[in-house]
Amino acid sequence: MIQYILRRCLYALPLLMGVNILTFVLFFIVNSPEDMARMQLGQKHVTTAAIQNWKQQHGYDLPLLWNDTQDSAKKLTETIFYQKSVGLFLLDFGVSDSGRDMSTDIKQRMWPSLALALPSLILGLTVNICVALMMVLFRNTYLELGSMVLCVMLMSISSLFYIIGGQFYIGKLLKLVPISGYASGVDAFKFMVLPVIIGVVSGIGSGARWYRTLFLEEAEKDYVRTARAKGLSETQVLFKHVLKNAMIPILTGVVVVLPLLFMGSLIMESFFSIPGLGSYTIDAINSQDFAIVRAMVFLGSLLYVVGLLLTDISYTLVDPRVRLV
Amino acid sequence: MTLFMMSSILSMPIKRLRVLLLLVALLTACDLTPLNNPHPPEDSAGSVLYSSFSERPKHLDPAVAYSSNEYTFIGQIYEPPLQYHYLKRPYELIPLTTTKMPSVVYRDNKGNPLPDNATTADIAFTDYILDIKPGIQFQPHPALAKDANGAYLYHHLSAAQLDELLTITDFKSTGSRELTAEDYVYQIKRLANPKIQSPIAGVMQPYIVGFDALAKQLTAAPQTDLKTVNMSGVKALSRYQYQITINGKYPQFRFWLAMQFFAPMPWEADVFYAQPGLKAKNISLDWFPIGTGPYRLTENNPNRQMVLLKNPLFHGETYPDSGTPEDKASGLLNDAGKALPFIDKVVYTLEKETIPYWNKFLQGYYDASGIASDSFDQAIQFAGNGQAQLTPAMQAQGMRLQTEVQTSSFYMGFNMLDNVVGGNSEAARKLRQALSIAIDYEEYIAIFTNGRGISAQGVLPPGIYGNQTGQAGMNPYVYDWVNNAYQRKSLSVAKQLMTEAGYANGIDPATHESLILYFDSTSVSTEDRPMLNWYRKQFEKLGIKLVIRATDYNRFQQKMRDGNAQIFVWGWNADYPDPENFFFLLYGPNGKVKSAGENAANYHNPEFDRLFEQMRNMDDGEARMHLIQQLQEQVRQDAPWIFGFHPKSFALFHSWYHNSNANLMANNRLKYLRIDTAERDAKRQAWNHPNFWPLLVGLVLLVLLVIPAIIAYRRRAAATLQEVQQRS
C-alpha cells in the first residue's frame, strides 16, 4: 500500500503543476500586472511611477513565463511564474499582494469553515441515510411516494432560498437564533445552529434520493432475501445488512469531500458572516490578488488529490476484497 | 383537554414528575430573551456602537489609506493638524491638534516675505507654520514601550519573543510619549518615500519643496533611515512648531492638512513594524495603527471583526457649541460643551450581504443603516410633494431618516479626442448639447436610484463653493426655468440641434443611415440590462443607434488610457470642498490620454484652462465666484460631459442613536456620536421575544405523520408473518 501511496503522490506533482500553470495563464489573460497595481493602489491619483514601483516591490516587474534578458536557467527562474510558484510546492504561500501573510490568514479562516462544514456533513449524512432507509422501509407505501415528492421539491429549490428563508423565518420571525454572525469557541454554537440546519435541510432532497437508490439496489440482492428468510425483521435487515454493504459508495462520496471541507462554502459563509475560507478566493479574484488566487487554487487541488487518495485507502478498510497495489 | 392533562400528570411516576418540574423551573428561570442577540451579553453594560464593514480595508497606514472604508477607521485614530467643524455649513476648517489655524506666509523667489494680497505671479513659495498643542500623547502601544533604563523594549525582538506572539495585544507592555512637531515632519517624509507608495505622492510632489528630491534620494538608497534625512521644505521649528513650504500659491493645501495623510507618525512605529518576524504574523502598521485620536484599534481581524476602544490617553475635546440654526432645533446642540468621545467601544463586524444586515438592524442589533434597493420600499415612501419619508412601520419603531446630497458627481462623458462626438467644432458641440437634452437623467434617478439623487446642473455638486441654486445655478443649454423649477428642454430643441449639427433625424450624412455611437460600459451583468436598454432608448429619441460595448473594468481602464472609448460614464467624489477639486477634472494638461491624468474626457479648451489656472489659486471671494461661474458656463456650452446627477444618501437611525450629522468632509465623526444604551436595551428586549410555538406545532405534525406509518408498517409485518405461518 505504501508503494501505491507514493506512486499516487508522484502522479500528483505534474497534476498540481498543470493546475498551477492553468491558473497562472487564465489569471494573466484577464489581468495584467498593471491592472493589479492599479487595483491595489486605488483609483485616484495613480501615476505611472507608482505603478512601476508597486510592480517592482511585489515582483511583478519580471516577464510572465520566459525572460529573454537572462542567461541559461535564469531565463526560466527570473519570471513571475517561477518566482510565485516554487514556494507553493513547499506549502509556503508567502504574502498576498495586499501585504498580508497568507498562511496566517488561511490558518485563521480554516477553523470557522470547518465549524460549519463538519457538523453539516455529519448531520446531513445521518439525516439523509435515515430518511433514505425510512423510504426503503416504507417502500411501496404512501409515505415513500410522499417522501419522494418532497425530495424532488427540496431539490428544486435554490440554496439561496433556503438561506434567506431560514434567516427570515427562524432568525427574524421566530427570533430563536441570531440571523448571522460568528464567535469563537463555545459561543460559536448559537451562530452555527441556523446555517447547519439550512445546510442539512437543503441537502436532504438530493442526498436521501441518492442513498435510497443505493439501498434499494442492495435490498434486492440474494443475501438480503436470505436474511429475510431467516426470519429477521425488516429493520434488522436494513440496519444490520443493507446499510453495512452500501457503505462503499457512501464512502466514495464522503471521504473525497472531507479535505475540501477546509475550503468552506462561499454562499453560506457570505450570508452568515462566517469568516471562513469560502469567500477568501472570491474576494481575491475581485481585488485581483493573484497571490491568494494561486495559493487557494493550489490548496484546493492538493486537497482534492488527498481526498481521492483517502477514498482509495478507505475502500480497503470497508471491503477486505480491495487491495491497493 | 385540561382534565386529560391533569390526569396525565397525576398518573405520572414521581421520578418523571420531578424531572418535568425541574425542566419547567429551569425554563422559567432562564432569561430566554433575546436568544437572537449576535453580540456578547456583557457588551450591554457599556456604551457600545455596532457597525459593519463589507470589505476589509486594504490599508490603515495614514500615508497610504485613501478609501472611505479605510477612513472609517483611521479617521478616528489618527489626527491631522486640522479638522472640519462638525456642524457649520459651508464647511469650515478648524484646528484639531494645533492651537490655531496655520500661519500662512508668502515669499518671493528670493525668500522675502510678501504681503497677504500679493499676486499669484509674485508668490514663489508659501510657508505654512503650524503650532501644535503641548501635552498630546500617543495611544498606548508596544512600539513606545521602554524599560527602566529608557531603552525600547520591543525594537529588537528575539526569536523566542516572536514565537510567543500571535497578535499585537500579546505584548505585555505598552508605552506612550508626547506628540511633537517632528512626528508631523516624519510623516510628510513618509509620503515622499517610494517604498511606502502613498497615493498622494504624485499630487504633493510639485507642491512641497524638497519632496521630489527626497523621493529620488530614497529611491537610490531605500534603506535610508527617514529620521536622519531632511526634506528641505518641511522642518520642525521647535518641539511644538513646524513649517511646510510649498511652491507658489496653493490655497487648497489647507484642506490636505485636514486629511489623514498629514497625521503624525512616531518614528518608533516604523522601527518596530520593520522587524521581519512581525510581518509574518500580519502585525504591521497597515493593520495596527498608532495615533493620538479618540480611539485605538484593539482588535483587527479583517476576516471577522474590528474593534475600536476609547483611547485612555486622548487629549480631550468638547462637543461644538455652534452650528446652523437648524441644528439647535434638531437637537444637534444638546450635547454642546460635553467631553468627547461619548462612545466607549465600537464593534465593526464583517457583513457581506445587505439582507442579514438589514434584518439585524430592524431587530435593533445595529444602530444605523443605509437602505439597499431590496429594502427601499419597506423603509421609504414618497409624500405627495415628492418628499421622502419613513413608512409607518419604520416610524413605529421610532427610526429617523437622514438624507443628504453627496458631494459627488456622476456624469456621461464624451471622449473629446473622438472624431464624431469630440472636438471643438460647432457641429460636435451641438451634437453633445442635443444628447444632453435627450438623456433624461430625472427619469434615470426615478427608475434606477429610487429617487436618491438630484440632476446635475454643472460640474459642482451642492456643498462645494461656487455651486449655485435656483435659476442662477441652472444649465441653460439643457433646462428652462418654469414655475420656479428646472424643466428639461423639449425634445424638439434637441432635434433642432441635431439638424444644425448635420444629423437631421439622427441620420449620418456619411452613411445615410442612423448615426451609430458607442457606449463603453463596465456594466456587464444581467441586472444592468434594463439600465443599458434605457440608455439605448434615450439615444433612439434622436434617431441615434447606440452600440453598447460592455467590457470588464481592466479593459475599460485601458480603453480610457488609450483614448479608444467614445462615450462612457464616470464619477468623482470630492476630496475637499473646493471647486478646484472638480474643475481639475476638465483641465487640459490633466488629459487621460496625454498625461494619464484625471481628465477622462480629454477636454482641452484654452479659455477654460486659462480661467481655471486663474481661479485655482485665488482665495474665496467675489472675483473667484465670478470666475467659477465663467468656468461653469464654458463647460455647459462645450458639453464635454452630460451632467448626470449628484447622488443623495439615505440613512436610517434608531431612536437611541444621537448627534448624527451628514458632514461629508469630516472623517472623524465617530467621536460626536452618542448612544442611549438603556433605551436600546429596552427596545431590543421588546422586539426580540422568541416564538417557540411554531416549533412545537411542527413537532406534533411530524409525530402525527409518522405514527400512522408505523402502525401501517407493523400491520404489514404482522400480516406477512401470518401469511408465512399459514403457508408453513
Side-chain angles (χ1 to χ4, degrees), chain A residues 38-39 53 101 180 190 275, chain B residues 37 58 194 282 303 360 561:
Chain A
R38 280 178 197 281
M39 184 58 86
N53 188 18
D101 183 76
S180 68
K190 71 172 178 180
Chain B
N37 187 354
K58 281 183 194 158
N282 287 333
N303 305 325
K360 281 195 269 186
R561 287 196 293 275

Side-chain angles (χ1 to χ4, degrees), chain B residues 61-63 71 74-75 77-82 96-97 138 179-191 200 242 256-266 290-293:
Chain B
D61 180 342
Y71 271 40
I74 66 166
I77 296 165
Y78 288 104
E79 291 187 305
L82 306 180
L96 176 56
T97 57
F138 279 103
L179 169 74
T180 67
E182 283 291 356
D183 299 314
Y184 281 99
V185 173
Y186 185 79
Q187 169 69 356
I188 298 171
K189 288 193 273 187
R190 293 182 79 241
L191 296 178
I200 66 158
Y242 68 105
W256 287 105
L257 293 175
M259 294 175 81
Q260 265 60 26
F261 293 111
F262 286 85
M265 181 60 66
I290 168 168
T292 59

Side-chain angles (χ1 to χ4, degrees), chain B residues 471 474 480-487:
Chain B
Q471 193 172 6
M474 186 183 73
D480 292 317
W481 186 250
V482 180
N483 296 329
N484 288 326
Y486 303 132
Q487 184 176 299

Side-chain angles (χ1 to χ4, degrees), chain B residues 274-287:
Chain B
Q275 298 176 93
L278 293 182
K279 181 89 177 169
K281 292 172 188 285
N282 287 333
I283 300 175
S284 71
L285 186 57
D286 242 350
W287 301 102

Side-chain angles (χ1 to χ4, degrees), chain B residues 580-596:
Chain B
E580 180 264 354
N581 194 232
F582 280 87
F583 282 120
F584 94 111
L585 299 171
L586 290 162
Y587 181 50
N590 284 343
K592 192 162 269 298
V593 173
K594 189 179 168 188
S595 53

Side-chain angles (χ1 to χ4, degrees), chain B residues 427-457:
Chain B
R429 186 177 297 119
K430 287 190 170 166
L431 172 63
R432 295 193 297 268
Q433 286 175 352
L435 286 168
S436 300
I437 295 169
I439 298 176
D440 186 350
Y441 265 104
E442 288 79 19
E443 191 178 279
Y444 180 97
I445 293 164
I447 297 173
F448 298 108
T449 71
N450 297 109
R452 285 178 282 186
I454 59 165
S455 54
Q457 299 296 317

